[in-house]
Amino acid sequence: MYVYRPHDKQLLSERVAQFRDQTRRYLDGQLSNDEFLPLRLQNGLYIQRYAPMLRVSVPYGMLSSTQLRMLGRIAREWDKGYAHVSTRQNIQYNWPDLEDVPDILAALAEVEMHAIQTSGNCIRNVTTDEFAGINAAEIEDPRPWCEIIRQWATFNPEFAYLPRKFKIAVNAVPDADPALIGVHDIGVQVVHRDGETGFRVLAGGGLGRTPMVGEVIGDFVPWPHLLSYLEAILRVYNKYGNRDNKYKARIKILVKALGAEKFRALTEAEFAELKDGPMTLTADEVDTMRGHFSTPAYDTALGQRPAALEEALASNKAFNRWFHTNVTAHRQPGYAAVTLTLKKTGRAPGDITDEELDAVADLAETYSFAEARTTHQQNIVLGDVRQDQLFPLWEKLDALGFATPNLKLLTDMIACPGGDFCSLANAKSIPIAEAIQRHFDDMDYLHDLGPIDVNISGCMNACGHHHIGHIGILGVDKKGREYYQITLGGRGDKVSKIGEKLGPSFDADQVVPVIARLVDLYVEQRKPDELFVDTYERLGIEPFKERAYATDH
Amino acid sequence: MPQIIKDGVIVDDTWQRLDAEALAALQALPDGPVIVPLAYWQAHRESLKARGDVGVCLEPGEEPAALADDFAALPLVAINFPAFKDGRGYSYARELRTRYGFKGEVRAVGDVLRDQLFYMQRVGFNAFVIRADRDIHDALNGLRDFSVTYQGDVNDPRPIYRRH
């Protein structure tokens, strides 16, 4: 992963000092609430329902064991003993005191971490596939491009006061969208053409109130021009994005209003000026970045499926089941990627305690070159595990409660913190997630159903990505009461696709029975090996609507 | 005389900024350096150019392109921030410097506060009229928040990996 050089450290220490002074001036009354707001947001600090919420940046989800231990220490010393993995792969704390935040930032800086631009109307943390660099299907490692973008975006003076937040994702897997680039403000697809690396650049995707899939703006941007092209798009957005209405301020609204053609023409005009200028990347610079993401010291003598693994698979049914759900193929023979599911029933999806963070740090050291990754599904990945070590690792994960074999299954839900924590929320998310987990507690049945993405958001801001869930659940408020609207057919798997609304919303206690009925219909109608979402696409919404609202069930 | 921050130091401000309302109330433009709105400039362009001590103030939504033919005659372009959160002026300043090569004074006016100054100087502002209720000496510190920057800017277009 990217290792800081002296200037990166210097920047962070100056940032800590700057924020310490801003916090002091705010507490002294020299800065008004309004003036402090964008300053604290660009340092990841929200004022939430019960306490501030601090969002720590995890660039492309990569974490070292040292960093995991520091995250655990922060949870212990300044929070209530736990942290939360967000859908942007960041780590959130729900209970810090404002006065302590400068000290927390100083502690983070010790381990090359920060909360810069994790919120606010600026360019947010760049994300990518959680299996970046180890995914056999990718054409190259996208992380060096992410780091190049991160450095360009960090404290970029021109783009710190954009009309709205701005999210960029990079994907290097062809014909699939594991980084969800289709629903980002800018999506960057790494492509190879005639032996040259370039980028297909999408703009104007996003979830929230008006969900949209992005339009292709740059069909093939040669790699030296990546930053110039991004800067051109950002400048068009900064100049012409709507600032009168925050609900119409995202770039997706601008792209839609102008049309992709006009937006592309404006971008090209800016790009014409920037192209071949000082932002042009050189091969040396890209190679240097690639050097930061060098291959770990794999044992290259290993073969696939060693005897130890085969024996364990044959003799232990629980291990076998976990292997087939939570273990992902790896580009390096003899290795595998392991997903630790943070989806234990009774625990908010994505929550992890200080002790568990320490335990993951230990396991990463023993089994995975001291590195872990967070995922947008709110889980944690150990990316480089020897296949002959999978069984002993599983035993330890099982003891810790991280081996629930439900990855991608109905109970591996994405859920925002909802009304229990978030002051924006209209409804609770966590109790809905828990009710679903309690109802669908038969692991055989879940495995029989196969992958079903259930995504829950407590409000229109869509932090739980409900629009791209095969089954999406959106909390809405009607005259002070909480209701839940269901969408079906969204996808964040092979492609990004926005789900359709099923119909009128349901009471909280109806959500589980409705989902059960939808799932029953799928079981009755599916073809062999057909996923829930594929059956939905084949049948259309009508039969699902009929079943969901049927009164004789 | 009111003071501003210019080229990193606090100096007396010799310019008088007149908005449309103030101009409408006047019989003639006063003597001495004045800053006028874009519309006024456009309406009296030739005579104002000849004076040589008239600057133009751009509002959000008024791009530097509107002055493309006038830069040689302009000693100063001000960019107004009615609210500090409106970031359009950052792109305008950058365009003034890099697209049009404007060498005169680029002045930030309006809701101009200490915590925005570091960014503002990097996109090409060299003069700042600090909001009247704030301490200009304190604001001056805002220009020195960081000694390190990742990306290039108007003052040094090289990204950090090309500066070592």
Side-chain angles (χ1 to χ4, degrees), chain A residues 2 4-5 7-8 10-11 14-15 18 21-22 24-25 30-32 34-39 42 117 147-148 150-162 227 231 234-235 238-241 243-244 269-270 273 277-282 285 289, chain B residues 60-61 63-65 81 83-95 97-100 111 113-123 131 133-135 138 141-142 144-154 156-162 164:
Chain A
Y2 182 72
Y4 275 21
R5 296 166 63 187
H7 62 249
D8 297 284
Q10 173 81 7
L11 185 81
E14 289 173 1
R15 173 55 152 187
Q18 182 196 36
D21 189 57
Q22 288 167 342
R24 178 190 63 78
R25 283 186 280 134
Q30 294 176 48
L31 279 171
S32 70
D34 260 12
E35 288 161 8
F36 188 50
L37 178 99
L39 305 179
Q42 295 205 12
Q117 292 179 197
E147 178 59 23
I148 285 168
R150 183 191 76 85
Q151 295 198 12
W152 162 78
T154 300
F155 298 143
N156 189 311
E158 191 177 344
F159 307 125
Y161 293 92
L162 294 169
L227 295 182
E231 182 144 318
L234 262 297
R235 195 173 287 173
N238 193 33
K239 288 200 293 187
Y240 306 120
R243 281 183 159 87
D244 299 329
E270 296 287 345
E273 179 190 329
M279 301 180 72
T280 311
L281 295 164
T282 69
E285 288 159 3
M289 285 304 180
Chain B
E63 293 182 56
F81 290 83
F84 73 89
K85 284 183 254 191
D86 188 329
R88 280 176 278 190
Y90 293 80
S91 285
Y92 298 164
R94 184 149 189 160
E95 274 179 32
R97 296 297 192 200
T98 57
R99 180 173 300 173
Y100 299 105
D111 197 9
L113 299 165
R114 167 185 164 153
D115 292 290
Q116 283 75 45
L117 294 195
F118 188 80
Y119 288 137
M120 284 179 166
Q121 72 177 346
R122 294 191 62 206
V123 294
R131 212 171 76 187
D133 62 338
R134 294 304 155 95
D135 180 351
D138 179 58
N141 293 319
R144 294 187 287 269
D145 279 344
F146 292 97
S147 65
V148 183
T149 56
Y150 277 127
Q151 59 298 99
D153 63 21
V154 162
D156 184 348
R158 297 171 303 165
I160 193 157
Y161 38 80
R162 235 169 271 164
H164 288 279

Side-chain angles (χ1 to χ4, degrees), chain A residues 10-81:
Chain A
Q10 173 81 7
L11 185 81
L12 275 204
S13 78
E14 289 173 1
R15 173 55 152 187
V16 173
Q18 182 196 36
F19 192 69
R20 198 180 285 285
D21 189 57
Q22 288 167 342
T23 306
R24 178 190 63 78
R25 283 186 280 134
Y26 171 67
L27 294 171
D28 285 354
Q30 294 176 48
L31 279 171
S32 70
N33 278 330
D34 260 12
E35 288 161 8
F36 188 50
L37 178 99
L39 305 179
R40 66 172 165 77
L41 287 180
Q42 295 205 12
N43 236 323
L45 187 63
Y46 283 79
I47 302 296
Q48 281 296 4
R49 181 148 286 178
Y50 299 110
M53 185 273 278
L54 181 67
R55 182 181 291 149
V56 176
S57 181
V58 184
Y60 4 108
M62 299 295 298
L63 285 166
S64 69
S65 288
T66 310
Q67 292 173 331
L68 283 161
R69 288 199 184 92
M70 180 59 87
L71 292 171
R73 194 187 121 195
I74 290 167
R76 199 156 43 239
E77 289 186 18
W78 286 292
D79 208 271
K80 292 193 175 181

Side-chain angles (χ1 to χ4, degrees), chain A residues 188-503:
Chain A
V188 178
Q189 176 76 41
V190 185
V191 284
H192 287 172
R193 202 168 76 181
D194 305 329
E196 190 194 6
T197 292
F199 307 97
R200 187 181 311 118
V201 180
L202 283 69
L207 299 176
R209 203 164 286 255
T210 320
M212 289 184 202
V213 174
E215 301 266 5
V216 176
I217 300 300
D219 188 47
F220 186 85
V221 178
W223 66 264
H225 305 306
L226 173 65
L227 295 182
S228 321
Y229 202 81
L230 296 182
E231 182 144 318
I233 292 178
L234 262 297
R235 195 173 287 173
V236 169
Y237 174 56
N238 193 33
K239 288 200 293 187
Y240 306 120
N242 186 319
R243 281 183 159 87
D244 299 329
N245 179 346
K246 83 177 257 199
Y247 300 116
K248 294 187 174 167
R250 296 286 293 270
I251 192 174
K252 61 191 171 187
I253 306 290
L254 179 66
V255 173
K256 181 97 176 159
L258 294 172
E261 271 313 307
K262 178 87 200 285
F263 186 87
R264 187 177 300 118
L266 288 168
T267 299
E268 288 293 332
E270 296 287 345
F271 180 55
E273 179 190 329
L274 297 167
K275 191 172 178 281
D276 300 318
M279 301 180 72
T280 311
L281 295 164
T282 69
D284 276 355
E285 288 159 3
V286 176
D287 280 348
T288 302
M289 285 304 180
R290 288 201 174 108
H292 287 295
F293 298 91
S294 55
T295 310
Y298 293 128
D299 184 340
T300 52
L302 298 179
Q304 295 285 34
R305 296 275 193 145
L309 173 61
E310 294 291 5
E311 277 163 33
L313 287 170
S315 63
N316 189 312
K317 210 177 147 193
F319 172 71
N320 190 303
R321 169 167 275 171
W322 172 81
F323 177 84
H324 285 102
T325 47
N326 289 37
V327 176
T328 307
H330 199 290
R331 73 187 319 163
Q332 180 68 30
Y335 285 81
V338 168
T339 303
L340 284 55
T341 40
L342 307 184
K343 306 292 171 70
K344 234 181 337 196
T345 300
R347 175 86 70 82
D351 275 8
I352 183 165
T353 69
D354 59 331
E355 287 171 2
E356 289 168 348
L357 283 160
D358 287 344
V360 174
D362 292 344
L363 292 175
E365 252 161 28
T366 310
Y367 295 101
S368 191
F369 299 98
E371 280 182 10
R373 299 143 180 255
T374 49
T375 80
H376 80 263
Q377 293 94 346
Q378 303 173 295
N379 293 316
I380 288 182
V381 166
L382 296 180
D384 302 289
V385 181
R386 281 171 64 128
Q387 290 179 358
D388 60 6
Q389 298 295 304
L390 286 169
F391 186 74
L393 172 61
W394 171 76
E395 288 183 304
K396 287 173 184 155
L397 294 177
D398 195 38
L400 288 163
F402 289 138
T404 313
N406 66 342
L407 188 70
K408 295 187 169 37
L409 303 184
L410 193 148
T411 54
D412 177 26
M413 284 168 286
I414 292 175
C416 72
D420 291 299
F421 294 101
C422 177
S423 48
L424 299 174
N426 292 320
K428 292 189 172 66
S429 306
I430 295 168
I432 297 294
E434 187 176 340
I436 294 169
Q437 281 170 330
R438 289 201 188 283
H439 181 83
F440 293 94
D441 63 346
D442 180 342
M443 205 50 84
D444 289 325
Y445 181 59
L446 288 174
H447 276 258
D448 175 56
L449 293 177
I452 302 181
D453 292 344
V454 177
N455 295 9
I456 309 174
S457 300
C459 77
M460 302 275 253
N461 292 303
C463 293
H465 295 178
H466 64 277
H467 299 295
I468 53 170
H470 300 161
I471 298 175
I473 302 171
L474 166 66
V476 292
D477 171 89
K478 280 191 206 162
K479 296 176 186 155
R481 280 194 62 190
E482 295 181 1
Y483 290 88
Y484 295 86
Q485 197 173 73
I486 310 273
T487 53
L488 291 179
R491 297 192 91 130
D493 46 13
K494 288 197 181 94
V495 292
S496 291
K497 193 170 172 186
I498 309 295
E500 292 176 85
K501 271 182 217 155
L502 191 61

